[in-house]
Structure formats: C-alpha cells, structure tokens
Amino acid sequence: MAREAGHECLMVCGILDDGHGSPMDHDNYPDSYIRGILNTVKTIAMVGISPKSNRPSYFAFKYLMERGYRMIPVNPGQAGHDILDQKVYAKLADIPEAVDMIDIFRNPQYALGIVNEALALKPRPAVIWMQLGVRNDEAARLAEENGLKVVMNRCPKIEYGRLSSEIAWMGVNTRTLSSQKAKLFGRGIQRMSLNRITSAGGTTAAADRAPAADKDRF
C-alpha cells in the first residue's frame, strides 16, 4: 500500500509523464527537469555504493541522506551489513518498500540490467539516475519507453548543491541566477535546501513550480 501511495504521489506531482512528451536531450538537461526530480523524490536506492568512506558513492550517499532523502544501499557484496546505519540489500527486488529513484553507481555496461530490475518492481520507481561518468543510451531508452524519467552522466549530489546554491559558498559558479535569499535548515552547520516534498506528503511551492518553464538557466 505504501509503495502504491508513493508512486501515485509522484504521478500527481508531475515527475512521471504520459509518454507523449518530446524526447529528452541527455546532453543538456533543463534545470527545471533536474529540480523537479530532486524536489519530489523521497526514497533513493543507490546501486553500487561502497562501504569505504573515501569512495565517491559513500560520500554522495551520506550527503543526500543528510539532506532528508531516505537512502537505501544496494550492493550484493555487502548484503546484510550496514552502511551509514542503513541496511544493505543484495538487489532491488529485496527492498521491502517503495523506491522513487534508482541511483546507478556502476559501470555503464551494468545499467541495462539494473533498469530491467527496476521495471520489475511493483510499483516501479519514477526515475533512473546514472551517476557522473555513467551513460547507457539503450538503458535510458528502455526506461523512458516505460514512462520513467532518466538522468545520465550527472551526480545528484552536485546537482543538489548547484541548484540549492550550496556549492556557491565555495566559489563555484552554479550557472543559476536567483534574487531569492537561500533557505536554511538544520542545526549547527548551515545548509541550504531545495523545497522538496514534505514528510507529510504534500508538495512544496518549489515542487509545484518545477515543471514550469525553466527561467533560471542562461
């Protein structure tokens, strides 16, 4: 029941399309497209996470978890153990709850198999996200033909930091213009947050605006 409710929410929030939209240009994603995903997904399964704290997958997992996402580690070699206090599963089918997004942290040749695993889930996830350096057009085409959103060769950690302006604190050009003051959350170290779906289930203003025409890019 929880899996079905979460999937229905993503449909209402506009993350899933009806399959009649224009083909996505996977070399140039509108900020509204990325923001719409990051605003709305709540549960992310990261396939290929490493238990080593110095690996990019571990750092990305930790970063996203600290920003309020429900992160689920998937790694057959670590199944039954914990990574960052989260139980590790051997495969997607073993996860006992609904997953909104699959984050693929494996070499491109494995992406098609992972997409096939994702399509076998009930309900299916709304998004397939292939990490920086990971691109598989066949896998992307299969996912999109089945109504899933796809992002390739991008890191959700980097995109979150760019769109929330967090990385601007370090002098990085975010390529995003905004006259609005950034919102802060949490205690201690200040962090800026995208306006995502609330824990109570309602969408926030930013999530409602995400599908609109992209006005932030230049």
Side-chain angles (χ1 to χ4, degrees):
M1 182 65 69
R3 296 190 108 174
E4 294 175 358
H7 190 72
E8 181 179 354
C9 179
L10 291 171
M11 292 286 289
V12 171
C13 296
I15 285 299
L16 295 182
D17 59 32
D18 59 5
H20 299 293
S22 301
M24 175 57 60
D25 177 2
H26 290 291
D27 293 312
N28 297 285
Y29 296 107
D31 283 353
S32 58
Y33 180 78
I34 299 295
R35 185 183 294 110
I37 291 172
L38 295 177
N39 276 344
T40 311
V41 301
K42 295 193 292 184
T43 302
I44 302 174
M46 182 178 287
V47 181
I49 180 176
S50 171
K52 299 179 180 179
S53 60
N54 62 342
R55 298 300 294 272
S57 58
Y58 183 100
F59 190 61
F61 187 100
K62 183 174 185 291
Y63 177 96
L64 293 171
M65 189 167 64
E66 289 176 344
R67 277 143 189 85
Y69 294 97
R70 164 79 172 111
M71 300 299 296
I72 302 175
V74 179
N75 182 330
Q78 297 294 318
H81 298 288
D82 287 352
I83 295 178
L84 288 166
D85 296 323
Q86 306 302 310
K87 181 180 178 180
V88 184
Y89 295 93
K91 56 184 183 295
L92 294 176
D94 292 339
I95 300 173
E97 61 188 277
V99 174
D100 301 326
M101 184 172 101
I102 309 299
D103 184 7
I104 300 177
F105 236 113
R106 302 215 49 202
N107 290 331
Q109 64 265 32
Y110 298 107
L112 182 59
I114 294 169
V115 168
N116 277 314
E117 287 184 44
L119 293 176
L121 298 177
K122 294 183 179 180
R124 292 172 175 173
V127 182
I128 297 293
W129 189 303
M130 302 182 206
Q131 273 287 346
L132 198 64
V134 181
R135 176 163 184 158
N136 186 313
D137 290 285
E138 182 181 2
R141 184 166 52 253
L142 177 62
E144 289 174 332
E145 287 174 352
N146 284 276
L148 279 61
K149 295 291 186 182
V150 175
V151 178
M152 295 191 288
N153 193 29
R154 296 287 185 97
C155 175
K157 171 191 172 297
I158 293 173
E159 294 303 302
Y160 188 105
R162 182 177 69 83
L163 292 171
S164 69
S165 297
E166 274 190 8
I167 61 176
W169 294 358
M170 299 178 288
V172 178
N173 182 1
T174 66
R175 296 180 287 120
T176 299
L177 294 178
S178 175
S179 61
Q180 295 182 349
K181 184 177 180 181
K183 295 182 179 181
L184 306 178
F185 76 97
R187 298 178 180 177
I189 298 175
Q190 292 181 327
R191 299 189 180 96
M192 283 182 280
S193 173
L194 292 171
N195 289 330
R196 300 195 299 108
I197 196 166
T198 67
S199 59
T203 53
T204 63
D208 291 334
R209 292 193 302 269
D214 180 16
K215 298 180 180 179
D216 293 332
R217 299 180 73 236
F218 67 98

